Amino acid sequence: MNEKLIVSISPHIRSDISVEKIMWSVVWALIPATIGAGYFFGIRAIVLIIISVVTALISEYICNLIFKREISIFDGSAVITGILLAFNLPPQVPFFIPIIGSFFAIVVVKQLFGGLGYNFLNPALAARAFLVASFPQTMSASYTAPYYGTISGFDTVTQATPLSAIKNTKIMGTPEDLEILLDKATSWESLKNLFFGNVGGCLGETSAILLLIGAIYLLIKKYIDYRIPLSYLLTCFVLSLIILPIKRFPNYHIFQILSGGLILGAFFMATDYVTSPITKKGRIIFGIGCGILTMLIRHFGGYPEGVSFSILLMNVATPLIENYTKPRVFGKK
Amino acid sequence: MFNFLFKNKVRKYTFSGGIHPKENKHYTEECPIEKLPLPKIVYIPLSQHTGKIAKPILKVGDKVKVGQLIGEADGRISANIHSSISGVVKDLKELPHPLIFSRVLTYVIENDGEDIWEENIKKEFVEKDFSSEEIIEKVHKAGIVGLGGAAFPTAVKLSPPKEKVIDALIINGCECEPYLTNDYRLMIEKPKEIILGALLLKKALEKNSKNIRLIFGIEDNKEKAIEIFNSYKKEYNFEVYTLKTKYPQGAEKQLIKAILKREVPSGGLPFDVGVVVQNVGTAYACYEACYFDKPLFERVITVSGNGIKEKKNLLVRIGTPVKDIVNYCGGYVGEIKKIIFGGPIMGVAIYSEDMPIVKGTTGILFFNERDVLLEKEKDCIRCGRCVEACPMGLLPCELHKFIKKREFDKARDYSLLDCIECGSCAFACPAKIKLVQSFKFGKQEIWKKEKK
Ligand code: SF4
Ligand code: SF4
């Protein structure tokens, strides 16, 4: 008998993919948008992101020790949570906000439920919802214009992000005001600003192009499944065709896709493995659900944008969706 | 105008799910089959097949010839065992077995160096017609079992229940496990023999059924084999299906699905959809058994992996210990960490170089440190890769969750018993969870409960 021979159950080869590899790749994919945040909102934005990431790592480490779990700060998942939380904050929030947010995300949403793989809500989004509920003033009044543009991306007067400008005018302005505003908002100039990120908004959500660079990398590497973002964006687009006047087609409809953190949400948050369905069909339904909720909240609800709440709601529905989308077992039925 | 684009287009068949591991067949695919010099001692276990262990019929001290019957099939599902060398029975005792985790009654035979074959084994090929009964009888006598690894007695497979009408015989030339090239070499070096063997298998099945289609299923990474078999198909009246290279294309159920679009029902057998599947090596063995009366005492194996110096395809006598093969192949490279009988995905890791080659051994892989990643298991991150990989449409991560919580009934509801243990899920899992191990355990627990 040869003592050195390893006897283990098959398979004896494994694919070279690992949890770390996937998580760190997501971190890399978020780097373009991180740099963008620095470019548009200044060094303060980078400081906010770093504070958020460091808090996430420290919280993760402390939880590892307290719960006597394996040290998991190197697997990249806490870094992702830190970056995503910061991406969902307005540029002018005080520094204690990312500290509280990150701590909440890691400790309450992730580790108290058992760590990576056991949480049922997206940690960054749940923490953001917690912050919005706890510090409504700070969270809604901390927007600023990017260095090279205006906060709305089309108007120097308005003191809000593109979507909230429209919402506010809808509620308080006259129909004529709204028309004028929409004309500006859906101009090609405005869309260009949205695409490149030259508008006000949360740190990481403004630049569609920088987010897409990262997303395409993840899609090519198959680290995220195309089903969720595709069905999510398509649903939003189709619903916008139904809800919105066709007269501004296609600008107003493209505007819907590019604004309000939809790109960030669809590619980087709705695709979170842990909190989205494991089945293929389930993922499509998840994306459609997110899309419907987002458009309902935007156009009929109280908030100007609905991406994060939609995804959180669909997180809750995930077990149910999975249960109804089990694949057909070979040779059955 | 664009015709040239479609000229080489062959329709390729496949199933859903599965994985694409690195093939690593290049090490041995160009190596012609070599004969391994006769071993000094062979260890021949009396159980090398699915079913009941054979009954020993020789005593210690008896003289034997090559091909002499030494173990008799016991009952319907069992197989004869023959000596693979000429010499003297040294011992008959319980010894470790490469595939079964308990000791098995094993003949130890010492070679007299003469290589005297049984007289009735014919030397020359003579064309002849056989009846179905004759073929089944000869296959049974020769102790033939499925040589693709499953080792199910072939004679039993050739005798489906009367009420089952068989309309297709598929000869499995997929060899979807990485590294292995033994079937491929056989297809290239002995195509005609394999075809004659396949025609015998078809004839045997014609006892109850008429108009059976004979189909060869070959993966598209074996172009040369496809070409050769295509060149014979008119003459011998069979079909060749080109299959996409994907693991586990060679699994019976997936193969039938890919070629005939039929699904073997859950808990059922290929018979139930009118199909019999046989491996190319088995077809070759049937050819030898019928035309030469030659029992199954040798087979082709692939020797490969980073841990062995010379990688080869070898014709070896059953019962040859691994260390003889290591010596012939130039010894180890680096520190050997794992020896696997079979392919790297479904094969069995053995713990001793004294283990003998058995009928179901398709290859031996030697892995040194570089290949054996003993990565730590992590928690499931619910990435769904296992779900996508599973060819049976199961939810491996959920099954594992239930088994971990010892909720075996739930695992059963989620069709754990339909798992074919192909290992696709575990291969794909980024958290490196030992899913197959978990499923084997879960199934045992379910069966235990059922017995009570
Ligand atoms: S081992 Fe079982 S569960 Fe895993 S992929 Fe194969 S059939 Fe599916
Ligand atoms: S592949 Fe592994 S980590 Fe991914 S869902 Fe399946 S068991 Fe979980």
Side-chain angles (χ1 to χ4, degrees):
Chain A
M1 189 177 210
N2 188 335
E3 300 290 325
K4 289 197 197 102
L5 290 180
I6 299 165
V7 185
S8 59
I9 304 277
S10 58
H12 307 287
I13 50 170
R14 305 274 196 147
S15 58
D16 54 8
I17 195 159
S18 67
V19 174
E20 285 84 356
K21 216 172 175 176
I22 297 171
M23 295 295 169
W24 283 108
S25 301
V26 176
V27 173
W28 296 133
L30 289 167
I31 293 297
T34 304
I35 295 170
Y39 174 79
F40 294 118
F41 299 112
I43 199 73
R44 194 170 194 283
I46 302 293
V47 174
L48 281 173
I49 294 171
I50 290 174
I51 291 176
S52 184
V53 169
V54 171
T55 311
L57 286 172
I58 294 174
S59 312
E60 179 102 347
Y61 187 68
I62 293 173
C63 288
N64 287 159
L65 293 182
I66 293 176
F67 296 121
K68 298 206 171 51
R69 295 197 187 115
E70 214 181 304
I71 301 304
S72 56
I73 53 172
F74 303 111
D75 69 9
S77 66
V79 179
I80 296 176
T81 301
I83 298 178
L84 286 180
L85 176 80
F87 272 20
N88 279 291
L89 298 176
Q92 290 303 323
V93 289
F95 290 145
F96 76 88
I97 288 283
I99 295 182
I100 294 180
S102 255
F103 179 82
F104 184 86
I106 296 290
V107 178
V108 180
V109 189
K110 182 178 172 189
Q111 292 291 344
L112 277 184
F113 283 93
L116 181 63
Y118 296 99
N119 52 297
F120 69 96
L121 291 177
N122 184 314
L125 287 179
R128 176 194 145 103
F130 169 76
L131 291 173
V132 169
S134 315
F135 309 97
Q137 250 354 81
T138 326
M139 287 296 283
S140 60
S142 300
Y143 290 97
T144 45
Y147 277 171
Y148 314 96
T150 60
I151 197 161
S152 61
F154 52 84
D155 199 332
T156 38
V157 193
T158 331
Q159 283 299 309
T161 58
L163 274 177
S164 58
I166 295 174
K167 189 117 215 168
N168 291 342
T169 316
K170 246 189 205 165
I171 297 169
M172 298 179 289
T174 62
E176 291 76 43
D177 292 344
L178 187 64
E179 281 301 301
I180 296 166
L181 185 75
L182 283 180
D183 278 341
K184 286 186 189 162
T186 59
S187 67
W188 287 110
E189 184 62 22
S190 154
L191 289 184
K192 201 182 87 193
N193 282 336
L194 276 171
F195 188 69
F196 288 104
N198 212 6
V199 294
C202 291
L203 288 182
E205 73 181 20
T206 58
S207 172
I209 177 75
L210 294 178
L211 289 166
L212 285 174
I213 291 172
I216 287 168
Y217 163 71
L218 293 180
L219 285 170
I220 290 174
K221 286 291 218 171
K222 296 217 164 116
Y223 290 158
I224 57 175
D225 189 5
Y226 68 90
R227 289 183 181 82
I228 292 177
L230 186 72
S231 57
Y232 193 168
L233 296 180
L234 267 182
T235 306
C236 285
F237 192 73
V238 169
L239 282 182
S240 71
L241 287 178
I242 299 169
I243 297 173
L244 303 175
I246 202 72
K247 118 174 170 227
R248 293 187 203 283
F249 180 84
N251 296 33
Y252 198 10
H253 309 83
I254 296 174
F255 172 85
Q256 291 294 325
I257 301 293
L258 293 178
S259 58
L262 182 54
I263 299 284
L264 176 66
F267 287 97
F268 291 95
M269 296 191 292
T271 53
D272 173 38
Y273 290 151
V274 182
T275 54
S276 63
I278 51 172
T279 57
K280 289 184 199 173
K281 257 189 255 158
R283 286 174 177 169
I284 294 171
I285 294 175
F286 184 91
I288 294 175
C290 285
I292 294 175
L293 288 172
T294 300
M295 293 313 270
L296 285 182
I297 295 174
R298 267 189 196 175
H299 297 283
F300 307 107
Y303 287 98
E305 59 107 329
V307 171
S308 46
F309 286 111
S310 316
I311 298 175
L312 282 173
L313 280 169
M314 292 311 288
N315 286 165
V316 177
T318 291
L320 193 72
I321 297 174
E322 264 171 19
N323 205 17
Y324 285 102
T325 55
K326 276 187 254 166
R328 189 180 66 85
V329 174
F330 188 102
K332 281 195 175 169
K333 262 178 286 177
Chain B
M1 176 182 176
F2 290 110
N3 266 349
F4 68 96
L5 279 178
F6 304 105
K7 214 168 76 194
N8 293 324
K9 219 170 151 154
V10 192
R11 181 135 182 239
K12 289 177 185 171
Y13 299 81
T14 195
F15 60 98
S16 66
I19 50 173
H20 297 275
K22 238 174 111 192
E23 289 172 32
N24 283 332
K25 291 185 189 273
H26 60 278
Y27 292 121
T28 50
E29 66 192 349
E30 296 305 327
C31 304
I33 299 168
E34 285 173 50
K35 264 193 183 152
L36 182 79
L38 295 188
K40 288 209 177 59
I41 283 188
V42 289
Y43 303 88
I44 305 181
L46 282 163
S47 177
Q48 301 183 31
H49 45 262
T50 310
K52 229 168 156 192
I53 182 166
K55 276 190 294 206
I57 56 170
L58 290 187
K59 295 186 304 296
V60 175
D62 285 351
K63 283 196 65 147
V64 288
K65 292 178 185 166
V66 178
Q68 188 177 333
L69 187 70
I70 56 175
E72 213 167 38
D74 184 12
R76 201 178 101 81
I77 303 189
S78 183
N80 285 340
I81 306 277
H82 303 82
S83 177
S84 59
I85 53 174
S86 64
V88 181
V89 176
K90 274 279 161 192
D91 213 342
L92 176 60
K93 62 177 175 192
E94 304 225 308
L95 286 176
H97 189 284
L99 309 180
I100 305 169
F101 279 100
S102 56
R103 289 168 171 250
V104 171
L105 200 57
T106 301
Y107 275 108
V108 181
I109 302 174
E110 198 178 59
N111 197 343
D112 59 11
E114 307 280 336
D115 201 26
I116 306 166
W117 289 35
E118 273 279 30
E119 290 80 26
N120 61 355
I121 301 177
K122 296 192 183 69
K123 293 266 158 4
E124 259 157 63
F125 174 79
V126 184
E127 216 175 308
K128 210 182 146 203
D129 275 333
F130 298 94
S131 71
S132 302
E133 288 77 8
E134 258 179 303
I135 296 167
I136 293 173
E137 177 59 24
K138 279 180 187 285
V139 165
H140 171 75
K141 258 195 169 160
I144 296 177
V145 301
L147 295 188
F152 192 81
T154 304
V156 183
K157 242 182 162 181
L158 291 178
S159 320
K162 281 226 163 54
E163 69 278 7
K164 304 277 182 209
V165 177
I166 303 298
D167 65 359
L169 166 64
I170 299 177
I171 304 296
N172 187 349
C174 290
E175 201 167 51
C176 57
E177 281 261 15
Y179 290 96
L180 300 183
T181 55
N182 52 307
D183 283 347
Y184 173 68
R185 287 312 306 181
L186 204 60
M187 283 192 274
I188 290 201
E189 295 179 31
K190 310 272 182 199
K192 226 172 147 181
E193 290 83 349
I194 292 173
I195 293 165
L196 289 177
L199 291 170
L200 291 169
L201 293 169
K202 180 177 152 192
K203 175 84 205 213
L205 289 168
E206 275 166 355
K207 201 166 75 176
N208 289 327
S209 317
K210 292 279 156 293
N211 298 327
I212 298 175
R213 288 167 70 188
L214 176 59
I215 303 167
F216 280 81
I218 307 174
E219 276 190 354
D220 61 0
N221 60 354
K222 301 174 190 59
E223 268 172 48
K224 223 169 164 185
I226 293 171
E227 209 175 289
I228 294 174
F229 277 81
N230 268 329
S231 70
Y232 283 112
K233 69 182 177 191
K234 286 243 167 59
E235 185 182 344
Y236 292 100
N237 190 23
F238 60 84
E239 299 158 70
V240 177
Y241 274 67
T242 303
L243 302 156
K244 278 193 192 144
T245 300
K246 182 164 80 172
Y247 178 89
Q249 183 62 76
E252 266 187 1
K253 292 182 180 184
Q254 276 62 38
L255 186 61
I256 295 170
K257 171 83 185 194
I259 293 180
L260 298 170
K261 306 274 166 286
R262 299 182 197 163
E263 275 188 24
V264 178
S266 167
L269 290 168
F271 290 157
D272 298 327
V273 289
V275 186
V276 170
V277 180
Q278 296 283 3
N279 165 272
V280 285
T282 315
Y284 182 73
C286 290
Y287 159 81
E288 291 195 320
C290 292
Y291 288 107
F292 298 88
D293 287 310
K294 185 182 157 199
L296 180 62
F297 57 77
E298 57 183 0
R299 69 157 296 151
V300 181
I301 63 165
T302 297
V303 180
S304 192
N306 279 352
I308 193 91
K309 201 169 222 164
E310 294 159 30
K311 300 157 183 65
K312 292 175 186 299
N313 295 298
L314 293 176
L315 180 67
V316 296
R317 299 285 168 93
I318 302 295
T320 305
V322 171
K323 55 179 179 231
D324 284 29
I325 293 165
V326 175
N327 285 339
Y328 182 73
C329 293
Y332 294 141
V333 178
E335 194 182 340
I336 206 77
K337 283 285 180 195
K338 215 179 209 184
I339 304 179
I340 297 157
F341 266 42
I345 308 188
M346 279 186 90
V348 177
I350 59 162
Y351 57 83
S352 155
E353 290 124 317
D354 295 328
M355 292 290 189
I357 300 297
V358 292
K359 291 176 183 174
T361 309
T362 48
I364 313 180
L365 303 178
F366 298 89
F367 283 165
N368 60 28
E369 233 141 352
R370 265 188 302 157
D371 287 298
V372 182
L373 301 166
L374 278 181
E375 280 164 295
K376 262 228 184 111
E377 248 187 36
K378 288 200 170 297
D379 285 323
C380 169
I381 54 167
R382 294 174 36 85
C383 67
R385 282 183 172 73
C386 54
V387 179
E388 200 159 330
C390 180
M392 298 302 289
L394 309 180
L395 298 173
C397 49
E398 297 288 299
L399 289 171
H400 176 66
K401 206 170 73 193
F402 296 139
I403 293 168
K404 233 171 43 181
K405 288 194 273 186
R406 303 191 65 85
E407 296 174 349
F408 301 112
D409 290 336
K410 268 238 178 96
R412 201 196 169 125
D413 290 345
Y414 274 65
S415 307
L416 176 60
L417 295 180
D418 284 281
C419 166
I420 57 170
E421 294 174 21
C422 69
S424 301
C425 52
F427 176 87
C429 176
K432 314 289 166 193
I433 300 173
K434 300 190 179 88
L435 294 163
V436 176
Q437 190 169 334
S438 166
F439 301 157
K440 285 190 184 202
F441 167 73
K443 283 185 192 174
Q444 271 165 13
E445 291 295 310
I446 291 174
W447 288 326
K448 249 195 250 165
K449 248 195 198 160
E450 228 161 56
K451 270 195 197 135
K452 269 185 210 159

